């Protein structure tokens, strides 16, 4: 079982806190995350109290269903790379074909050069003589490149945890917010949505549908100033003791300088409402856009200091290598990847799973 977030660890000065037994909390129906807000069982000092058993950690079994979807989603990207290893010899021609395949998958020049150099070293060290052995070593190279992108989204270190979410129109920003809200709520976190996307027609209504579907509160103003909505939402989240405030900002292109300035303003205003906020600034990018996605990451990061990414629409694209380009050029953590429209099609990013699915 994988958890896409974790709660703040206990303060180091408190060696072994004693807590009362927590009431039983049902596991979320989705089965792919643990409740970070359920108190951990601990020893009870009262002699007559029954001993609270230690809950065993769930084994990190492969997420078979998710892996099948990921393999299917990355098939167009992976097939062109995998065909390189159908020959019988390891020679310069193989590496040239692999270089072409990686570039066609939008891996980018820097990442492609890194992978080829790393792969050649691994082949030499392993004394590999079969193309299929080289393919297995490429999985290791891709895993090593992507591993720095793995990071857990922390919920509970701040109350509320304020998360700004942005991205260009069409990337799946509002839908990703809805899916994230569902999983946060199912895990026991209280969520408040901020409809700060006041530029796009029906954006407020779309977010309202997700709020109703997930039975969470929403702060919105018809035609209101985005920064004002964000400020009111963070203030309301603090006053109401919410665990998370998700701020939906307007979709924009990096070339729309006035909207990028508005995004910077929202960040500043959120910080005025809570001096430690925003705690996360996420960018939703469309995996189909290839190298354009890398440009988006750089521009948005320069403007508002991104802390994480959500990569959507990886299913059916031939440009899945874009994650390697991001890892090489702007290694911002990838919290989630999406390979479909269903709720369960948004999952935590795992470098080895991704590499294995890519070359399956």
């Amino acid at each position: 079982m994988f958890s896409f977030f974790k709660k703040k660890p206990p303060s180091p000065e408190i060696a072994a806190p004693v807590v009362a037994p927590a009431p039983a909390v049902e596991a979320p129906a989705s089965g792919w995350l643990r409740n970070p807000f359920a108190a951990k069982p601990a020893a009870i000092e009262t002699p007559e109290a029954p001993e609270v058993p230690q809950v065993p950690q769930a084994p990190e079994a492969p997420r078979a269903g998710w892996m099948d979807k990921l393999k299917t989603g990355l098939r167009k990207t992976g097939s062109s790379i995998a065909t390189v290893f159908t020959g019988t010899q390891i020679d310069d021609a193989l590496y040239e074909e692999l270089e072409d395949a990686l570039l066609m998958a939008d891996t980018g020049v820097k990442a492609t050069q890194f992978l080829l150099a790393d792969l050649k070293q691994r082949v030499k060290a392993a004394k590999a003589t079969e193309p299929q052995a080289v393919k297995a070593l490429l999985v290791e190279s891709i895993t090593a490149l992507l591993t720095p992108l793995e990071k857990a989204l922390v919920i509970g270190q701040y109350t509320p945890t304020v998360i700004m979410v942005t991205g260009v129109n069409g990337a799946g920003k509002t839908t990703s917010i809805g899916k994230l809200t569902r999983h946060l709520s199912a895990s026991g976190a209280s969520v408040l949505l901020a409809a700060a996307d006041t530029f796009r027609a029906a954006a407020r209504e779309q977010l309202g549908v997700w709020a109703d579907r997930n039975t969470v509160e929403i702060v919105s103003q018809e035609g209101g100033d985005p920064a004002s909505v964000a400020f009111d939402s963070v203030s309301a989240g603090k006053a109401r003791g919410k665990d998370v405030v998700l701020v939906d900002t307007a979709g924009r292109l990096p070339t729309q300088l006035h909207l990028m300035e508005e995004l910077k303003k929202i960040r500043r205003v959120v910080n005025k409402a809570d001096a430690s906020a925003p705690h996360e600034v996420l960018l939703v990018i469309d995996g189909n856009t290839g190298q354009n996605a890398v440009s988006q990451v750089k521009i948005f990061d320069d403007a508002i200091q991104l802390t994480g990414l959500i990569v959507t629409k990886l299913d059916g694209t031939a440009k899945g290598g874009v994650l390697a380009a991001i890892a090489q050029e702007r290694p911002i953590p990838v919290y989630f990847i999406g390979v479909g429209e269903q709720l369960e099609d948004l999952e935590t990013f795992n470098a080895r799973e991704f590499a294995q699915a890519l070359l399956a």
Side-chain angles (χ1 to χ4, degrees):
M1 182 181 296
F2 283 70
S3 174
F4 70 86
F5 53 35
K6 59 186 178 181
K7 195 175 180 182
K8 178 185 176 183
S11 302
E13 66 272 16
I14 304 177
V18 177
V19 299
V25 179
E26 294 183 2
S30 61
W32 63 277
L33 54 89
R34 293 188 295 272
N35 187 338
F37 299 96
K40 295 182 179 180
I44 308 300
E45 289 187 343
T46 308
E48 62 273 12
E51 182 180 355
V52 179
Q54 183 71 30
V55 179
Q57 294 292 326
E60 294 188 3
R63 299 179 283 184
W66 167 249
M67 280 296 291
D68 289 341
K69 292 180 181 179
L70 190 57
K71 290 176 183 178
T72 300
L74 294 174
R75 186 169 294 163
K76 285 187 178 180
T77 302
S79 59
S80 61
I81 300 175
T83 53
V84 173
F85 303 101
T86 56
T88 58
Q89 292 183 329
I90 302 174
D91 52 19
D92 290 341
L94 182 146
Y95 288 114
E96 289 176 3
E97 290 180 25
L98 179 57
E99 181 178 14
D100 291 340
L102 290 172
L103 290 173
M104 288 294 292
D106 267 322
T107 302
V109 175
K110 291 183 180 179
T112 296
Q113 292 175 344
F114 170 85
L115 288 173
L116 287 174
D118 184 71
L119 178 61
K120 289 177 180 179
Q121 290 181 355
R122 292 177 186 270
V123 169
K124 183 178 180 180
K127 298 180 180 179
T129 59
E130 299 292 334
Q132 287 302 310
V134 178
K135 179 181 176 181
L137 292 173
L138 180 58
V139 171
E140 298 302 319
S141 293
I142 295 175
T143 299
L145 177 61
L146 298 182
T147 295
L149 301 184
E150 289 185 22
K151 184 181 177 181
L153 175 61
V154 178
I155 299 297
Q157 185 173 0
Y158 302 94
T159 303
T161 298
V162 180
I163 304 175
M164 280 181 58
V165 186
T166 189
V168 303
N169 285 330
K173 173 176 59 68
T174 305
T175 300
S176 295
I177 290 174
K179 292 178 179 180
L180 181 55
T181 301
R182 172 64 182 272
H183 293 306
L184 285 166
S185 298
S187 72
S190 57
V191 181
L192 177 68
L193 297 180
D197 184 351
T198 60
F199 289 105
R200 183 168 62 90
R204 183 168 58 93
E205 289 77 6
Q206 184 182 358
L207 193 65
V209 170
W210 279 108
D212 292 339
R213 188 177 301 176
N214 293 311
T215 320
V216 299
E217 297 180 48
I218 182 171
V219 174
S220 65
Q221 298 174 8
E222 185 173 359
D225 176 69
S228 176
V229 174
F231 182 90
D232 291 345
S233 299
V234 174
S235 300
K238 293 173 65 176
R240 302 173 193 177
K242 297 295 182 181
D243 297 307
V244 180
V245 174
L246 275 171
V247 182
D248 181 16
T249 65
R252 63 204 69 218
L253 295 174
T255 54
Q256 295 173 308
L257 298 181
H258 64 293
L259 292 182
M260 293 298 288
E261 289 300 319
E262 182 67 37
L263 196 59
K264 295 178 184 179
K265 178 182 177 182
I266 293 174
R267 198 186 199 288
R268 293 194 301 269
V269 170
V270 164
N271 183 252
K272 290 181 179 179
D274 184 334
S276 65
H279 308 108
E280 297 285 349
V281 182
L282 308 185
L283 175 68
V284 179
I285 57 176
D286 182 343
N288 285 289
T289 57
Q291 288 300 301
N292 188 38
V294 181
S295 298
Q296 291 176 25
V297 170
K298 291 179 178 179
I299 294 173
F300 278 92
D301 185 38
D302 290 342
I304 55 173
Q305 296 79 57
L306 299 175
T307 62
L309 305 175
I310 300 176
V311 184
T312 65
K313 305 180 183 181
L314 282 171
D315 51 313
T317 180
K319 301 180 179 181
V322 67
L323 290 187
I326 291 172
Q328 187 69 28
E329 299 188 38
R330 193 65 65 99
I332 295 171
V334 176
Y335 286 139
F336 312 103
I337 56 177
V339 292
E341 297 298 325
Q342 302 301 316
L343 183 65
E344 61 273 15
D345 294 336
L346 183 71
E347 257 290 5
T348 48
F349 173 70
N350 180 283
R352 182 167 295 278
E353 284 183 352
F354 189 88
Q356 290 174 338
L358 188 62
L359 295 175

